[in-house]
Coordinates of all heavy atoms in Angstrom, one line a residue:
M1 N 3.5 22.8 0.0 CA 2.3 23.5 0.0 C 1.4 23.0 -1.1 O 1.8 22.8 -2.2 CB 2.6 25.0 -0.2 CG 1.4 25.9 -0.2 SD 1.8 27.6 -0.6 CE 1.7 27.5 -2.4
N2 N 0.2 22.9 -0.8 CA -0.9 22.6 -1.8 C -1.7 23.8 -2.1 O -2.5 24.2 -1.3 CB -1.8 21.5 -1.3 CG -1.0 20.2 -1.2 OD1 -0.2 19.9 -2.0 ND2 -1.3 19.4 -0.2
A3 N -1.4 24.5 -3.1 CA -2.1 25.7 -3.5 C -3.5 25.3 -3.9 O -3.7 24.4 -4.6 CB -1.4 26.5 -4.6
T4 N -4.5 26.1 -3.5 CA -5.9 25.9 -3.8 C -6.3 27.0 -4.7 O -6.0 28.1 -4.5 CB -6.8 25.8 -2.6 OG1 -6.6 27.0 -1.9 CG2 -6.4 24.7 -1.6
P5 N -7.1 26.6 -5.7 CA -7.6 27.7 -6.7 C -8.6 28.6 -6.1 O -9.1 29.5 -6.8 CB -8.1 26.8 -7.9 CG -8.5 25.5 -7.3 CD -7.5 25.3 -6.1
T6 N -9.1 28.4 -5.0 CA -10.2 29.1 -4.4 C -9.8 30.0 -3.2 O -10.6 30.2 -2.3 CB -11.4 28.2 -4.0 OG1 -11.0 27.3 -3.1 CG2 -12.0 27.6 -5.3
M7 N -8.5 30.4 -3.2 CA -8.1 31.3 -2.1 C -8.7 32.6 -2.2 O -8.8 33.2 -3.3 CB -6.6 31.4 -2.0 CG -5.9 30.0 -1.8 SD -4.1 30.2 -1.8 CE -3.8 31.2 -0.5
H8 N -9.2 33.2 -1.1 CA -9.8 34.5 -1.2 C -9.2 35.5 -0.2 O -8.6 35.2 0.8 CB -11.3 34.4 -0.8 CG -12.1 33.6 -1.8 ND1 -12.2 32.2 -1.7 CD2 -12.8 34.0 -2.8 CE1 -12.9 31.8 -2.7 NE2 -13.3 32.8 -3.4
C9 N -9.2 36.8 -0.6 CA -8.7 37.9 0.1 C -9.4 38.0 1.5 O -10.6 38.0 1.5 CB -8.8 39.2 -0.6 SG -8.3 40.7 0.3
P10 N -8.7 38.0 2.6 CA -9.4 38.2 3.9 C -10.1 39.5 4.1 O -11.0 39.6 4.9 CB -8.2 38.0 4.9 CG -7.0 38.1 4.1 CD -7.3 37.9 2.7
D11 N -9.7 40.5 3.3 CA -10.3 41.8 3.4 C -11.5 42.0 2.5 O -12.6 42.5 2.9 CB -9.3 42.9 3.1 CG -8.2 42.9 4.1 OD1 -8.3 42.6 5.3 OD2 -7.0 43.2 3.7
C12 N -11.4 41.6 1.2 CA -12.4 41.8 0.2 C -13.2 40.6 -0.1 O -14.3 40.8 -0.8 CB -11.7 42.3 -1.1 SG -10.6 43.7 -0.9
R13 N -12.7 39.4 0.2 CA -13.4 38.1 -0.2 C -13.3 37.9 -1.7 O -14.1 37.1 -2.2 CB -14.9 38.1 0.3 CG -15.0 38.4 1.8 CD -14.5 37.3 2.6 NE -14.6 37.5 4.1 CZ -13.8 37.4 5.0 NH1 -12.6 36.8 4.6 NH2 -14.0 37.6 6.2
V14 N -12.5 38.6 -2.4 CA -12.3 38.4 -3.9 C -11.3 37.3 -4.0 O -10.4 37.1 -3.2 CB -11.8 39.7 -4.5 CG1 -11.5 39.5 -5.9 CG2 -12.8 40.8 -4.4
E15 N -11.5 36.5 -5.1 CA -10.6 35.4 -5.3 C -9.2 35.9 -5.7 O -9.0 36.8 -6.5 CB -11.1 34.5 -6.5 CG -10.2 33.2 -6.7 CD -10.9 32.3 -7.7 OE1 -12.1 32.4 -7.9 OE2 -10.1 31.5 -8.2
L16 N -8.1 35.3 -5.0 CA -6.8 35.7 -5.2 C -6.2 35.2 -6.5 O -6.7 34.1 -6.9 CB -5.9 35.3 -4.1 CG -6.2 35.9 -2.7 CD1 -5.3 35.3 -1.6 CD2 -6.1 37.4 -2.7
Q17 N -5.3 35.9 -7.1 CA -4.6 35.4 -8.4 C -3.2 35.1 -8.1 O -2.5 35.8 -7.4 CB -4.7 36.5 -9.4 CG -6.2 36.9 -9.8 CD -6.2 38.0 -10.7 OE1 -5.2 38.7 -10.9 NE2 -7.4 38.3 -11.3
A18 N -2.7 33.9 -8.6 CA -1.3 33.6 -8.4 C -0.4 34.5 -9.2 O -0.7 35.0 -10.2 CB -1.1 32.1 -8.9
I19 N 0.7 34.8 -8.5 CA 1.7 35.7 -9.1 C 3.1 35.1 -8.9 O 3.3 34.3 -8.1 CB 1.7 37.1 -8.5 CG1 1.9 37.1 -7.0 CG2 0.4 37.9 -8.9 CD1 2.1 38.5 -6.4
K20 N 4.1 35.5 -9.7 CA 5.4 35.1 -9.6 C 6.2 36.3 -9.0 O 6.1 37.4 -9.5 CB 6.0 34.7 -11.0 CG 7.4 34.2 -10.9 CD 7.9 33.8 -12.3 CE 7.3 32.5 -12.7 NZ 7.9 31.9 -13.9
L21 N 7.0 36.0 -8.0 CA 7.8 37.0 -7.4 C 9.2 36.9 -7.9 O 9.9 35.9 -7.9 CB 7.8 36.8 -5.9 CG 6.4 36.9 -5.3 CD1 6.4 36.4 -3.9 CD2 5.9 38.4 -5.3
V22 N 9.7 38.0 -8.5 CA 11.0 38.0 -9.1 C 11.9 39.1 -8.5 O 11.4 40.1 -8.0 CB 10.9 38.2 -10.6 CG1 10.2 37.0 -11.3 CG2 10.2 39.5 -11.0
A23 N 13.2 39.0 -8.7 CA 14.2 40.0 -8.2 C 15.2 40.1 -9.3 O 15.6 39.2 -10.0 CB 14.8 39.5 -6.9
P24 N 15.7 41.4 -9.5 CA 16.7 41.6 -10.5 C 18.0 41.0 -10.1 O 18.4 41.0 -8.9 CB 16.8 43.1 -10.6 CG 16.3 43.6 -9.3 CD 15.3 42.6 -8.8
T25 N 18.7 40.4 -11.1 CA 20.1 39.8 -10.8 C 21.2 40.7 -11.4 O 22.3 40.5 -11.0 CB 20.2 38.4 -11.4 OG1 19.9 38.5 -12.8 CG2 19.1 37.5 -10.7
S26 N 20.8 41.5 -12.3 CA 21.8 42.4 -12.9 C 21.1 43.6 -13.4 O 19.9 43.6 -13.7 CB 22.7 41.7 -14.0 OG 21.8 41.4 -15.0
L27 N 21.9 44.7 -13.6 CA 21.3 45.9 -14.1 C 21.9 46.2 -15.4 O 23.1 45.9 -15.7 CB 21.7 47.1 -13.1 CG 21.1 46.9 -11.7 CD1 21.5 48.1 -10.8 CD2 19.5 46.8 -11.8
G28 N 21.1 46.8 -16.3 CA 21.5 47.1 -17.6 C 22.2 48.5 -17.7 O 22.5 49.1 -16.6
F29 N 22.5 48.9 -18.8 CA 23.2 50.1 -19.1 C 22.7 51.4 -18.3 O 23.4 52.2 -17.8 CB 23.3 50.4 -20.6 CG 24.0 51.7 -21.0 CD1 25.4 51.8 -20.8 CD2 23.3 52.8 -21.4 CE1 26.1 53.0 -21.1 CE2 23.9 53.9 -21.8 CZ 25.3 54.0 -21.6
R30 N 21.4 51.5 -18.3 CA 20.8 52.7 -17.7 C 20.3 52.4 -16.2 O 19.5 53.1 -15.7 CB 19.6 53.1 -18.5 CG 20.0 53.6 -19.9 CD 18.9 54.1 -20.7 NE 19.5 54.5 -22.0 CZ 18.7 55.0 -23.0 NH1 17.4 55.2 -22.8 NH2 19.2 55.4 -24.1
G31 N 20.8 51.3 -15.7 CA 20.4 51.0 -14.3 C 19.1 50.3 -14.1 O 18.6 50.1 -13.0
E32 N 18.5 49.9 -15.3 CA 17.2 49.2 -15.2 C 17.5 47.7 -15.1 O 18.5 47.2 -15.7 CB 16.4 49.5 -16.5 CG 16.1 50.9 -16.7 CD 15.6 51.3 -18.0 OE1 15.7 50.4 -18.9 OE2 15.2 52.4 -18.2
P33 N 16.7 46.9 -14.5 CA 16.9 45.5 -14.4 C 17.0 44.9 -15.8 O 16.3 45.1 -16.7 CB 15.7 44.9 -13.7 CG 15.1 46.1 -12.9 CD 15.4 47.3 -13.8
A34 N 18.1 44.1 -16.0 CA 18.4 43.4 -17.2 C 18.1 41.9 -17.2 O 17.9 41.3 -18.2 CB 19.9 43.6 -17.6
A35 N 18.0 41.4 -16.0 CA 17.8 40.0 -15.8 C 17.0 39.7 -14.5 O 17.2 40.5 -13.6 CB 19.0 39.1 -16.0
H36 N 16.3 38.7 -14.4 CA 15.5 38.4 -13.2 C 15.6 37.0 -12.8 O 15.9 36.1 -13.7 CB 14.0 38.8 -13.3 CG 13.8 40.2 -13.5 ND1 13.9 40.8 -14.7 CD2 13.5 41.2 -12.6 CE1 13.6 42.1 -14.6 NE2 13.4 42.4 -13.3
R37 N 15.3 36.6 -11.5 CA 15.2 35.2 -11.1 C 14.1 35.2 -10.1 O 13.7 36.2 -9.5 CB 16.5 34.7 -10.6 CG 16.9 35.4 -9.3 CD 18.2 34.8 -8.8 NE 17.8 33.5 -8.3 CZ 18.7 32.5 -8.1 NH1 19.9 32.7 -8.2 NH2 18.3 31.3 -7.6
E38 N 13.5 34.1 -9.8 CA 12.5 33.9 -8.8 C 13.0 34.2 -7.4 O 14.2 33.9 -7.1 CB 11.9 32.5 -8.8 CG 11.0 32.2 -10.1 CD 10.3 30.9 -10.0 OE1 9.5 30.8 -9.1 OE2 10.6 30.1 -10.8
L39 N 12.2 34.8 -6.6 CA 12.6 35.2 -5.3 C 12.7 33.9 -4.4 O 11.8 33.0 -4.4 CB 11.6 36.1 -4.7 CG 11.9 36.9 -3.4 CD1 13.1 37.8 -3.7 CD2 10.8 37.7 -3.0
E40 N 13.8 33.8 -3.6 CA 13.9 32.7 -2.7 C 13.9 33.1 -1.3 O 14.0 34.3 -1.0 CB 15.3 32.0 -3.0 CG 15.4 31.5 -4.5 CD 16.7 30.9 -4.8 OE1 17.1 29.9 -4.1 OE2 17.4 31.4 -5.6
Y41 N 13.9 32.2 -0.3 CA 14.0 32.5 1.1 C 15.1 31.6 1.8 O 15.4 30.6 1.2 CB 12.6 32.4 1.8 CG 12.1 31.0 1.9 CD1 12.3 30.2 3.1 CD2 11.4 30.4 0.8 CE1 11.8 29.0 3.1 CE2 10.9 29.1 1.0 CZ 11.1 28.4 2.1 OH 10.6 27.2 2.2
A42 N 15.6 32.1 2.8 CA 16.7 31.4 3.6 C 16.4 31.5 5.1 O 15.5 32.3 5.5 CB 18.0 32.1 3.3
A43 N 17.1 30.6 5.9 CA 16.9 30.7 7.3 C 17.5 32.0 7.8 O 18.3 32.6 7.2 CB 17.8 29.5 7.9
L44 N 16.9 32.5 8.9 CA 17.2 33.8 9.5 C 18.7 33.9 9.8 O 19.3 34.9 9.6 CB 16.3 34.0 10.7 CG 16.6 35.4 11.4 CD1 16.2 36.5 10.5 CD2 15.7 35.5 12.7
E45 N 19.2 32.7 10.3 CA 20.7 32.8 10.7 C 21.6 32.4 9.5 O 22.8 32.3 9.7 CB 20.9 31.8 11.9 CG 20.7 30.3 11.5 CD 19.2 29.9 11.5 OE1 18.4 30.7 11.7 OE2 19.0 28.7 11.3
A46 N 21.1 32.2 8.4 CA 21.9 31.8 7.2 C 22.9 33.0 6.9 O 22.6 34.1 6.9 CB 21.0 31.5 6.0
T47 N 24.1 32.5 6.6 CA 25.2 33.5 6.2 C 25.8 33.0 4.9 O 25.6 31.8 4.5 CB 26.3 33.6 7.2 OG1 26.9 32.3 7.5 CG2 25.7 34.2 8.5
S48 N 26.5 33.9 4.3 CA 27.2 33.5 3.0 C 28.1 32.4 3.1 O 29.0 32.3 4.1 CB 27.9 34.8 2.5 OG 28.7 34.5 1.4
T49 N 28.1 31.5 2.2 CA 29.0 30.3 2.2 C 30.2 30.4 1.3 O 31.2 29.8 1.5 CB 28.2 29.0 1.9 OG1 27.7 29.2 0.6 CG2 27.1 28.7 2.8
G50 N 30.1 31.3 0.4 CA 31.1 31.4 -0.6 C 32.1 32.5 -0.3 O 31.8 33.5 0.3
R51 N 33.4 32.2 -0.6 CA 34.4 33.2 -0.3 C 34.4 34.3 -1.3 O 34.6 35.5 -1.0 CB 35.8 32.5 -0.3 CG 36.9 33.4 0.1 CD 38.1 32.6 0.3 NE 39.2 33.4 0.9 CZ 40.4 33.0 1.3 NH1 40.7 31.8 1.0 NH2 41.2 33.8 1.8
F52 N 34.0 34.0 -2.5 CA 34.0 35.0 -3.6 C 32.6 35.4 -4.1 O 32.4 36.5 -4.4 CB 34.9 34.5 -4.8 CG 36.3 34.2 -4.4 CD1 36.7 32.9 -4.2 CD2 37.1 35.3 -4.2 CE1 38.0 32.7 -3.9 CE2 38.5 35.1 -3.8 CZ 38.9 33.7 -3.6
L53 N 31.7 34.4 -4.1 CA 30.4 34.7 -4.7 C 29.4 35.2 -3.6 O 28.4 35.8 -3.9 CB 29.8 33.4 -5.4 CG 30.7 33.0 -6.5 CD1 30.1 31.7 -7.1 CD2 30.7 34.1 -7.6
G54 N 29.6 34.8 -2.3 CA 28.7 35.3 -1.3 C 27.3 34.7 -1.3 O 26.3 35.4 -1.0
R55 N 27.2 33.5 -1.8 CA 25.8 32.8 -1.9 C 25.3 32.4 -0.5 O 26.0 31.8 0.3 CB 25.9 31.6 -2.8 CG 24.6 30.9 -2.9 CD 24.5 30.2 -4.2 NE 23.3 29.3 -4.2 CZ 22.0 29.6 -4.2 NH1 21.8 30.9 -4.1 NH2 21.1 28.8 -4.3
I56 N 24.1 32.7 -0.3 CA 23.4 32.3 1.0 C 22.5 31.1 0.7 O 21.8 31.1 -0.4 CB 22.5 33.4 1.5 CG1 23.4 34.6 2.0 CG2 21.7 33.0 2.7 CD1 22.6 35.8 2.4
P57 N 22.7 30.0 1.4 CA 21.9 28.8 1.1 C 20.4 29.1 1.2 O 19.9 29.6 2.1 CB 22.3 27.8 2.2 CG 23.6 28.3 2.8 CD 23.5 29.8 2.6
S58 N 19.7 28.7 0.1 CA 18.3 28.9 0.0 C 17.5 27.7 0.5 O 17.9 26.6 0.2 CB 18.0 29.2 -1.5 OG 16.5 29.1 -1.8
L59 N 16.4 27.9 1.1 CA 15.6 26.8 1.6 C 14.4 26.6 0.6 O 13.8 25.5 0.6 CB 14.9 27.2 3.0 CG 15.9 27.3 4.1 CD1 15.2 27.7 5.4 CD2 16.7 26.0 4.3
G60 N 14.1 27.5 -0.3 CA 13.1 27.4 -1.3 C 12.7 28.6 -1.9 O 13.3 29.7 -1.8
F61 N 11.6 28.6 -2.6 CA 11.1 29.8 -3.4 C 9.9 30.4 -2.7 O 9.2 29.7 -1.9 CB 10.7 29.3 -4.8 CG 11.9 28.9 -5.6 CD1 12.3 27.6 -5.7 CD2 12.5 29.9 -6.3 CE1 13.4 27.3 -6.4 CE2 13.7 29.5 -7.1 CZ 14.1 28.2 -7.1
V62 N 9.6 31.7 -3.0 CA 8.5 32.4 -2.5 C 7.4 32.4 -3.6 O 7.7 32.9 -4.6 CB 8.9 33.8 -2.0 CG1 7.7 34.5 -1.5 CG2 10.0 33.8 -1.0
C63 N 6.2 32.0 -3.2 CA 5.1 32.1 -4.1 C 4.2 33.1 -3.6 O 4.1 33.3 -2.3 CB 4.4 30.7 -4.2 SG 5.4 29.4 -5.0
G64 N 3.4 33.7 -4.4 CA 2.5 34.8 -3.9 C 1.1 34.7 -4.6 O 0.9 34.1 -5.7
F65 N 0.1 35.3 -3.9 CA -1.2 35.4 -4.5 C -1.7 36.8 -4.2 O -1.5 37.3 -3.1 CB -2.2 34.4 -3.8 CG -1.9 33.0 -4.1 CD1 -0.9 32.3 -3.3 CD2 -2.4 32.3 -5.2 CE1 -0.6 31.0 -3.6 CE2 -2.1 31.0 -5.5 CZ -1.2 30.4 -4.7
I66 N -2.2 37.5 -5.2 CA -2.6 38.9 -5.0 C -4.1 39.1 -5.2 O -4.7 38.4 -6.0 CB -1.8 39.8 -6.1 CG1 -2.0 41.3 -5.7 CG2 -2.3 39.5 -7.5 CD1 -1.1 42.2 -6.5
C67 N -4.6 40.0 -4.5 CA -6.0 40.4 -4.6 C -6.1 41.4 -5.7 O -5.5 42.5 -5.6 CB -6.6 41.0 -3.3 SG -8.2 41.7 -3.4
P68 N -6.9 41.2 -6.7 CA -7.0 42.2 -7.8 C -7.8 43.5 -7.5 O -7.7 44.5 -8.2 CB -7.8 41.4 -8.9 CG -8.5 40.3 -8.2 CD -7.7 40.0 -7.0
D69 N -8.5 43.4 -6.3 CA -9.2 44.6 -5.9 C -8.3 45.5 -5.0 O -8.2 46.7 -5.3 CB -10.5 44.3 -5.2 CG -11.6 43.9 -6.1 OD1 -11.4 43.9 -7.3 OD2 -12.7 43.7 -5.6
C70 N -7.8 45.0 -3.9 CA -7.1 45.9 -3.0 C -5.5 45.7 -3.1 O -4.8 46.6 -2.5 CB -7.5 45.6 -1.6 SG -6.9 44.0 -0.9
G71 N -5.0 44.7 -3.8 CA -3.6 44.6 -4.0 C -2.9 43.9 -2.8 O -1.7 43.7 -2.9
R72 N -3.6 43.4 -1.9 CA -3.0 42.6 -0.8 C -2.4 41.4 -1.4 O -2.9 40.7 -2.3 CB -4.1 42.2 0.2 CG -3.5 41.4 1.4 CD -4.6 41.1 2.4 NE -4.1 40.3 3.4 CZ -4.5 40.4 4.7 NH1 -5.5 41.2 5.0 NH2 -4.0 39.6 5.6
I73 N -1.1 41.0 -0.9 CA -0.4 39.9 -1.4 C -0.1 38.9 -0.2 O 0.3 39.4 0.8 CB 0.9 40.3 -2.1 CG1 0.7 41.2 -3.3 CG2 1.7 39.1 -2.4 CD1 1.9 41.7 -3.9
N74 N -0.4 37.7 -0.4 CA -0.1 36.7 0.6 C 1.1 35.9 0.1 O 1.2 35.5 -1.1 CB -1.3 35.7 0.8 CG -2.4 36.3 1.4 OD1 -2.4 37.4 2.0 ND2 -3.6 35.6 1.3
F75 N 2.1 35.7 0.9 CA 3.3 34.9 0.5 C 3.3 33.5 1.1 O 2.8 33.4 2.3 CB 4.6 35.7 1.1 CG 4.8 37.0 0.5 CD1 4.8 38.2 1.3 CD2 5.0 37.2 -0.8 CE1 5.0 39.4 0.9 CE2 5.2 38.5 -1.3 CZ 5.2 39.6 -0.5
Y76 N 3.9 32.6 0.4 CA 4.1 31.3 0.9 C 5.4 30.8 0.5 O 5.9 31.0 -0.7 CB 3.0 30.3 0.3 CG 1.6 30.6 0.7 CD1 0.9 31.5 -0.1 CD2 1.1 30.1 1.9 CE1 -0.4 31.9 0.4 CE2 -0.2 30.5 2.3 CZ -0.9 31.4 1.5 OH -2.2 31.8 1.9
G77 N 6.1 30.1 1.4 CA 7.4 29.5 1.0 C 7.2 28.1 0.5 O 6.4 27.3 1.1
V78 N 7.9 27.7 -0.5 CA 7.8 26.4 -1.1 C 9.2 25.9 -1.2 O 10.1 26.4 -1.8 CB 7.2 26.4 -2.5 CG1 7.1 25.0 -3.1 CG2 5.8 27.1 -2.4
G79 N 9.5 24.8 -0.4 CA 10.8 24.2 -0.4 C 11.2 23.7 -1.8 O 10.3 23.4 -2.6
H80 N 12.5 23.6 -2.0 CA 13.0 23.1 -3.3 C 12.4 21.8 -3.8 O 12.1 21.6 -4.9 CB 14.5 23.1 -3.3 CG 15.1 24.4 -3.3 ND1 15.1 25.3 -4.4 CD2 15.9 25.0 -2.3 CE1 15.7 26.4 -4.0 NE2 16.2 26.3 -2.8
E81 N 12.3 20.9 -2.7 CA 11.8 19.5 -3.1 C 10.3 19.5 -3.4 O 9.8 18.6 -4.0 CB 12.1 18.6 -1.9 CG 11.3 18.8 -0.7 CD 11.8 20.0 0.1 OE1 12.9 20.5 -0.1 OE2 11.0 20.4 1.1
S82 N 9.6 20.6 -3.0 CA 8.1 20.6 -3.1 C 7.7 21.4 -4.4 O 6.6 21.3 -4.8 CB 7.5 21.3 -1.9 OG 7.8 20.6 -0.8
K83 N 8.7 22.2 -4.9 CA 8.3 23.1 -6.0 C 7.6 22.4 -7.2 O 6.7 22.9 -7.8 CB 9.5 23.9 -6.5 CG 9.0 25.0 -7.4 CD 10.1 26.0 -7.7 CE 9.5 27.1 -8.6 NZ 10.5 27.7 -9.4
T84 N 8.1 21.2 -7.5 CA 7.6 20.6 -8.7 C 6.2 20.1 -8.5 O 5.5 19.8 -9.4 CB 8.5 19.3 -9.1 OG1 8.6 18.5 -8.0 CG2 9.8 19.8 -9.6
N85 N 5.7 20.0 -7.2 CA 4.4 19.6 -6.9 C 3.4 20.7 -6.8 O 2.2 20.5 -6.6 CB 4.4 18.8 -5.6 CG 5.3 17.5 -5.7 OD1 5.4 16.9 -6.8 ND2 5.9 17.1 -4.6
V86 N 3.8 22.0 -6.8 CA 2.9 23.1 -6.6 C 2.2 23.4 -7.9 O 2.9 23.5 -9.0 CB 3.7 24.3 -6.1 CG1 2.7 25.5 -6.1 CG2 4.3 24.0 -4.8
Q87 N 0.9 23.5 -7.9 CA 0.1 23.8 -9.1 C -0.5 25.2 -8.8 O -1.3 25.4 -8.0 CB -1.0 22.8 -9.2 CG -0.6 21.4 -9.4 CD 0.2 21.1 -10.6 OE1 -0.1 21.7 -11.7 NE2 1.3 20.4 -10.5
L88 N 0.1 26.2 -9.5 CA -0.4 27.5 -9.4 C -1.3 27.9 -10.6 O -1.1 27.5 -11.6 CB 0.7 28.5 -9.3 CG 1.6 28.4 -8.1 CD1 2.7 29.4 -8.1 CD2 0.8 28.6 -6.8
Ligands
LIG101 ZN1 -8.6 42.4 -1.2

């Protein structure tokens, strides 16, 4: 994916801002997220490959852009091999 700095919200026409999408990987003492990692995506039919860890093969990372006015978020998938080329 080639991210462009001039993406605009289809509803408001306001310039979108790049965001990072994260998911908690563990919970702390009070049930609050203690660690995070970037959100990934997988094939619909993907299943766990590990007998003990249950890892699902990832195809890449999810990038997002948010509208500062209405909060609309656009998602884009970026393959692992392309991530180093994405300029957000
Ligand atoms: Zn908007």
